[in-house]
Amino acid sequence: MIGLISATAAGSAGCRRVASAWPGRTRVYEGPVGDAVRRAFAECEQLVCFLATGAVVRLVAPLLIDKASDPGIVCVDEGGRFAVSLVGGHGGGANELAREVGELLGAEPVVTTATDSVGVPGLDTLGLPVEGDVAGVSRAMLDGEPVALNAELAWPLPPLRVAETGAYSIRVSDVAVEPAEREVVLRPPSLVVGVGASKGAPVDEVLGLIEDALRDAGLSVKSVAELATVDAKAEEPGILGAAERLGVPVVTYGAEELAAVDVPNPSDAPLAAVGTPSVAEAAALLRGGELLVPKRKSAASPAMATCAVVRRPGRGRLAVVGLGPGARDLLTPRAKDELRRASVLVGLDQYVDQIRDLLLPGTRILESGLGAEEERARTAVAEARLGQAVALIGSGDAGVYAMASPALAEASDDIDVVGVPGVTAALAAGAILGAPLGHDHVSISLSDLHTPWEIIERRVRAAAEADLVVTFYNPRSRGRDWQLPKALTILAGHRKPTTPVGVVRNASRPDESSRVTTLAGLDPATVDMMTVVTVGNTATREIAGRMVTPRGYRWQEEPK
């Protein structure tokens, strides 16, 4: 919950705006400011104070305990010009909250955390438990001193300023070791603990068994990703309680699934009880990995719990990112986050140039020219299979005439794939033209590089007969100058010569141009590959210079 506090009319207006935008996330605190701040500090994970920073500093100073547990605090000035991350930039999420509040209110986020200010990922913001000399290693990275990365496990990490050797080091490990001097240990969630339990098994017995098994194997409890068991035990209090104390989820599988897993220590007891000869080992091994701790029983007599531990290899991550039509403000926040999360960026050189300034220092860039789509897709998937965090970029939406299709055709289930939608050229052009896509519509590429012309022509005819608004991508190039006239001729057989046609070149870019003409008046020679052509249906009209397709076929009145 985010506590909202203000003292003036302007501050109250800001509170109302935030509360209205985030009704499920916020709570407005009324009354004397000092009391409001103290109550919000005790009850909320984060605070947004529409107060002077000096006043907030004096109010919260006696309340601060530890940066790992204190709430994140953001201050917004009286004029609503700045959103200042004051306390808990990383641990309390105040840096990100300042950015969110700034975007909502039109204020400038002010973040003074050193790593955030220079674009270096904070070691305590990577989503992994971290131990050791976080401050010292972070300072070394900021100062440009060599920091070695010792990855005992391949894990998808954002770009870090690291070297092969150095006086400081970052270790990625699930082994229970104490960090050395000048070392940070990152704990990846690589361990799966399979658990079996008799009905009524105590939480302490289940948890003690797990902790003993990990300790004896020299493994860190902080790297446990989940507890896995049979679905018949999904509500077993001992298992649920152990998972809650460890802060991990419980994943369950059907008995038939578990029975199909080859395990070293099958038993008749679980077969009779839940229908599978193994619960702990089978549940841990079901999704692959290395068995580090074979089935072992708890020390109680009689033993009411069993467990097994498996190390799963780190899975690479491929984000297929749509950059939108070109304008920076049409690049989505999610796309920006994925670009900054990736340690490897793969893309067309001209698209890389568009977003190069958004990349974190150390991002490895693999760029190529036009016509190498399949090569880029293979490269991105191969890098992800090496355990990297990869972003594969394309214009518009990555799934529309872009990189998602070739990438997913190459990818198998050994990597994680995330799709990040973007604003398509058709949508950007439609917004410029007015509302041409107000009813059913279709997009058709006139490039026969990947699709035979016979198929393209059949699709154009179908769209013409169905009275769909048609947006043509790749309408005309120097080597393809007859396809657009042919397509327009097909449409003209089903629509009036006066049917509105919108032509937009370089939508959303500095040299954007657009015009509305008619089916009879469009000169194909004025169109090139940077142009999107939108042909209306029989109901589309030009109104005040804008192209409008009604949501239904009932129009107020035919023009006289």
Side-chain angles (χ1 to χ4, degrees):
M1 185 64 65
I2 302 173
L4 304 177
I5 301 116
S6 63
T8 65
S12 295
C15 276
R16 289 194 297 272
R17 286 183 63 186
V18 176
S20 177
W22 301 337
R25 298 176 59 191
T26 56
R27 180 186 304 156
V28 176
Y29 283 79
E30 308 283 358
V33 170
D35 293 341
V37 169
R38 284 186 287 273
R39 284 188 288 121
F41 192 96
E43 298 170 357
C44 298
E45 292 81 22
Q46 295 176 317
L47 280 68
V48 177
C49 300
F50 290 82
L51 304 165
T53 55
V56 177
V57 166
R58 292 184 177 88
L59 289 169
V60 303
L63 308 176
L64 297 175
I65 298 174
D66 183 82
K67 69 176 184 179
S69 59
D70 291 333
I73 301 177
V74 170
C75 290
V76 180
D77 67 293
E78 183 77 2
R81 296 175 299 169
F82 303 102
V84 182
S85 174
L86 185 67
V87 172
H90 284 169
N95 291 351
E96 182 57 32
L97 181 60
R99 296 185 183 99
E100 287 188 84
V101 171
E103 184 173 352
L104 176 62
L105 301 179
E108 180 72 23
V110 179
V111 175
T112 58
T113 306
T115 51
D116 292 52
S117 300
V118 298
V120 174
L123 296 173
D124 53 351
T125 67
L126 302 181
L128 303 179
V130 58
E131 304 171 18
D133 187 10
V134 175
V137 175
S138 297
R139 185 168 55 250
M141 294 171 66
L142 290 169
D143 291 344
E145 295 186 43
V147 176
L149 177 63
N150 303 317
E152 297 173 8
L153 298 172
W155 210 263
L157 298 172
L160 300 171
R161 290 180 176 175
V162 294
E164 293 186 3
T165 60
Y168 294 83
S169 63
I170 299 170
R171 183 174 180 179
V172 183
S173 177
D174 58 13
V175 175
V177 294
E178 288 295 322
E181 186 179 359
R182 297 183 173 183
E183 180 180 64
V184 161
V185 179
L186 299 176
R187 301 293 188 190
S190 57
L191 304 178
V192 177
V193 180
V195 182
S198 301
K199 184 175 182 179
V203 173
D204 289 341
E205 181 173 344
V206 176
L207 182 61
L209 170 64
I210 294 170
E211 292 176 337
D212 288 347
L214 293 169
R215 182 182 60 251
D216 293 348
L219 299 171
S220 172
V221 69
K222 293 183 179 180
S223 281
V224 174
E226 63 192 40
L227 302 189
T229 190
V230 65
D231 56 10
K233 297 295 180 180
E235 302 299 326
E236 188 62 46
I239 296 176
L240 295 177
E244 183 179 3
R245 292 195 198 177
L246 292 170
V248 299
V250 175
V251 177
T252 63
Y253 301 103
E256 290 186 3
E257 290 181 279
L258 297 181
V261 179
D262 185 25
V263 298
N265 300 293
S267 173
D268 292 335
L271 180 62
V274 294
T276 172
S278 172
V279 173
E281 287 180 340
L285 285 166
L286 183 63
R287 288 165 56 189
E290 177 189 3
L291 183 63
L292 301 181
V293 179
K295 182 180 74 174
R296 60 185 285 175
K297 296 181 180 180
S298 54
S301 182
M304 299 185 72
T306 60
C307 81
V309 182
V310 163
R311 175 186 286 143
R312 288 183 186 160
R315 290 169 62 87
R317 188 175 190 277
L318 173 61
V320 189
V321 182
L323 300 181
R328 178 57 59 85
D329 59 353
L330 292 182
L331 178 66
T332 67
R334 187 180 302 179
K336 293 178 183 177
D337 289 343
E338 288 294 346
L339 294 176
R340 297 175 69 81
R341 178 174 181 168
S343 59
V344 180
L345 182 86
V346 182
L348 180 67
D349 47 13
Q350 64 190 56
Y351 297 152
V352 171
D353 289 340
Q354 290 180 21
I355 49 83
R356 197 182 297 270
D357 63 301
L358 296 177
L359 305 177
L360 292 180
T363 304
R364 186 155 54 94
I365 300 174
L366 304 176
E367 54 188 313
S368 53
L370 286 168
E373 289 85 0
E374 293 181 356
E375 177 190 342
R376 285 193 290 275
R378 285 192 294 269
T379 297
V381 171
E383 290 290 335
R385 284 184 175 139
L386 294 175
Q388 301 286 352
V390 182
L392 174 62
I393 60 173
S395 66
D397 181 274
V400 179
Y401 304 123
M403 294 306 301
S405 293
L408 269 60
E410 290 286 336
S412 51
D413 62 359
D414 57 346
I415 62 173
D416 295 324
V417 179
V418 177
V420 182
V423 178
T424 69
L427 296 179
I432 294 165
L433 294 170
L437 308 182
H439 205 293
D440 296 340
H441 55 274
V442 63
S443 295
I444 299 176
S445 172
L446 294 183
S447 171
D448 54 5
L449 180 63
H450 298 290
T451 307
W453 174 253
E454 293 76 15
I455 294 177
I456 296 173
E457 183 173 333
R458 190 160 72 240
R459 291 171 178 171
V460 175
R461 291 188 184 280
E465 293 172 2
D467 199 31
L468 297 171
V469 176
V470 182
T471 297
F472 289 122
Y473 280 72
N474 307 313
R476 184 177 180 275
S477 67
R478 292 179 181 177
R480 294 186 302 99
D481 59 1
W482 58 269
Q483 287 90 342
L484 178 60
K486 176 67 173 177
L488 295 174
T489 299
I490 294 171
L491 291 174
H494 297 266
R495 300 176 195 185
K496 296 179 180 179
T498 55
T499 299
V501 175
V503 181
V504 180
R505 188 176 190 278
N506 284 331
S508 86
R509 300 184 183 184
D511 55 346
E512 167 191 299
S513 63
S514 66
R515 68 184 188 280
V516 177
T517 180
T518 63
L519 193 53
L522 175 62
D523 179 4
T526 63
V527 173
D528 62 13
M529 286 288 285
M530 305 304 293
T531 306
V532 172
V533 177
T534 301
V535 181
N537 66 13
T538 56
T540 305
R541 299 288 185 269
E542 182 180 349
I543 302 174
R546 303 180 186 92
M547 199 173 165
V548 181
T549 301
R551 293 185 62 183
Y553 272 68
R554 296 178 62 184
W555 200 240
Q556 289 98 334
E557 185 179 345
E558 288 289 334
K560 297 179 181 178

